[in-house]
Amino acid sequence: MALPSNISLSIAELARLSDEIWFLAGDTSVDTSWYTKRAALSTVYSSTELFMTTDTSADHRQTELFLDRRLREVQSIGKAVGSVGQWMGFTAAATINVLRSKGVRI
């Protein structure tokens, strides 16, 4: 799978793996988060697997720590994106309400 000729096959397999993991975790999302969850998981999985190939620690302890750090990073990014989305929704609703109060038909 490491040969350049297998890139498309490897990406397809990673996509199926990420989808299966989210399915088994009970994910039922049908919006854009369906894609972002799978992309984030694919990134974390592939970077962790690559890190593991050079890990010489006992019981791959450094890989576990690496994985924990990546999962925390993804979680904090997800919270930040959610906060920005919430702020944008509030700002858009407030703008529409101000325009309506001025007599603009929206």
Side-chain angles (χ1 to χ4, degrees):
M1 294 301 260
L3 297 175
S5 60
N6 293 328
I7 289 176
S8 61
L9 182 61
S10 296
I11 290 172
E13 185 63 30
L14 181 60
R16 283 191 294 274
L17 177 63
S18 296
D19 188 43
E20 184 71 12
I21 291 170
W22 275 114
F23 173 78
L24 293 173
D27 180 49
T28 59
S29 60
V30 293
D31 55 0
T32 56
S33 70
W34 188 93
Y35 298 99
T36 57
K37 286 177 181 179
R38 280 148 182 83
L41 180 59
S42 294
T43 302
V44 169
Y45 182 88
S46 57
S47 64
T48 303
E49 188 173 40
L50 185 62
F51 183 89
M52 191 171 89
T53 62
T54 61
D55 184 6
T56 57
S57 63
D59 296 326
H60 295 289
R61 181 68 184 138
Q62 291 302 315
T63 299
E64 289 180 35
L65 296 172
F66 179 85
L67 175 60
D68 288 342
R69 287 191 304 272
R70 297 297 79 79
L71 291 174
R72 280 195 303 275
E73 288 170 0
V74 167
Q75 187 177 26
S76 66
I77 290 169
K79 287 179 183 177
V81 169
S83 296
V84 169
Q86 186 179 17
W87 175 82
M88 289 176 59
F90 172 77
T91 303
T95 302
I96 290 170
N97 288 334
V98 167
L99 292 173
R100 285 181 177 160
S101 72
K102 300 294 182 186
V104 177
R105 299 185 85 185
I106 297 178

